[in-house]
Coordinates of all heavy atoms in Angstrom, one line a residue:
R6 N 96.0 -200.6 -124.9 CA 96.2 -201.2 -126.2 C 94.8 -201.4 -126.8 O 93.8 -201.6 -126.1 CB 96.9 -202.5 -126.1 CG 98.3 -202.4 -125.9 CD 99.0 -203.7 -125.7 NE 100.4 -203.6 -125.5 CZ 101.3 -203.7 -126.5 NH1 100.9 -203.9 -127.8 NH2 102.6 -203.5 -126.2
C7 N 94.8 -201.4 -128.1 CA 93.5 -201.7 -128.9 C 93.1 -203.1 -128.6 O 93.9 -204.0 -128.6 CB 93.8 -201.5 -130.4 SG 92.4 -202.1 -131.4
F8 N 91.8 -203.3 -128.3 CA 91.3 -204.6 -127.9 C 91.4 -205.6 -129.0 O 91.7 -206.8 -128.8 CB 89.8 -204.5 -127.5 CG 89.6 -203.8 -126.2 CD1 88.7 -202.8 -126.1 CD2 90.2 -204.3 -125.1 CE1 88.4 -202.2 -124.9 CE2 90.0 -203.7 -123.8 CZ 89.1 -202.6 -123.7
S9 N 91.3 -205.1 -130.2 CA 91.3 -206.1 -131.4 C 92.7 -206.4 -131.9 O 93.0 -207.6 -132.0 CB 90.5 -205.5 -132.5 OG 89.2 -205.2 -132.1
C10 N 93.5 -205.4 -132.1 CA 94.8 -205.7 -132.7 C 96.0 -205.6 -131.8 O 97.1 -206.0 -132.1 CB 95.0 -204.8 -134.0 SG 95.2 -203.1 -133.6
G11 N 95.8 -205.0 -130.6 CA 96.9 -204.9 -129.7 C 97.8 -203.7 -129.9 O 98.8 -203.6 -129.2
K12 N 97.5 -202.8 -130.8 CA 98.3 -201.6 -131.0 C 98.2 -200.7 -129.8 O 97.1 -200.4 -129.3 CB 97.9 -200.9 -132.3 CG 98.7 -199.6 -132.6 CD 98.0 -198.9 -133.8 CE 98.6 -197.5 -134.0 NZ 99.9 -197.5 -134.5
V14 N 97.5 -197.5 -127.9 CA 96.8 -196.3 -128.3 C 96.6 -195.4 -127.1 O 96.2 -194.3 -127.3 CB 95.4 -196.6 -128.9 CG1 95.6 -197.2 -130.3 CG2 94.6 -197.5 -128.1
V36 N 97.2 -194.1 -136.8 CA 96.1 -195.0 -136.4 C 95.3 -195.3 -137.7 O 94.5 -194.5 -138.1 CB 95.2 -194.3 -135.3 CG1 94.1 -195.2 -135.0 CG2 96.0 -193.9 -134.1
R38 N 94.1 -198.7 -138.7 CA 93.1 -199.7 -138.7 C 91.8 -199.2 -138.1 O 91.8 -198.4 -137.1 CB 93.6 -200.9 -137.9 CG 94.5 -201.8 -138.7 CD 95.0 -202.9 -137.9 NE 96.0 -202.5 -136.9 CZ 97.3 -202.5 -137.0 NH1 97.8 -202.9 -138.1 NH2 98.1 -202.1 -136.1
Y39 N 90.6 -199.6 -138.6 CA 89.4 -199.1 -138.1 C 89.1 -199.6 -136.6 O 88.3 -198.9 -136.0 CB 88.2 -199.4 -139.0 CG 88.0 -200.8 -139.4 CD1 87.4 -201.7 -138.5 CD2 88.3 -201.3 -140.7 CE1 87.1 -203.0 -138.9 CE2 88.1 -202.6 -141.0 CZ 87.5 -203.5 -140.1 OH 87.3 -204.8 -140.5
C40 N 89.7 -200.7 -136.2 CA 89.5 -201.1 -134.8 C 90.0 -200.1 -133.8 O 89.4 -199.7 -132.9 CB 90.1 -202.5 -134.5 SG 91.8 -202.6 -135.0
C41 N 91.2 -199.6 -134.1 CA 91.9 -198.6 -133.2 C 91.1 -197.2 -133.4 O 90.9 -196.5 -132.4 CB 93.3 -198.3 -133.6 SG 94.2 -199.9 -133.9
R42 N 90.7 -196.9 -134.6 CA 90.0 -195.6 -134.8 C 88.7 -195.6 -134.0 O 88.3 -194.6 -133.4 CB 89.8 -195.4 -136.3 CG 91.1 -195.2 -137.1 CD 90.8 -195.1 -138.5 NE 90.6 -193.7 -138.9 CZ 91.5 -192.9 -139.5 NH1 92.7 -193.4 -139.7 NH2 91.3 -191.7 -139.8
L44 N 88.0 -197.3 -131.4 CA 88.4 -197.2 -130.0 C 88.4 -195.8 -129.5 O 87.9 -195.4 -128.5 CB 89.7 -197.9 -129.7 CG 89.9 -198.5 -128.3 CD1 89.0 -199.7 -128.1 CD2 91.4 -198.8 -128.2
Ligands
LIG101 ZN1 93.3 -201.9 -133.5

Side-chain angles (χ1 to χ4, degrees):
R6 283 176 181 268
C7 173
F8 287 128
S9 301
C10 69
K12 178 187 170 75
V14 290
V36 181
R38 284 179 286 267
Y39 56 76
C40 52
C41 316
R42 296 177 89 102
L44 205 72

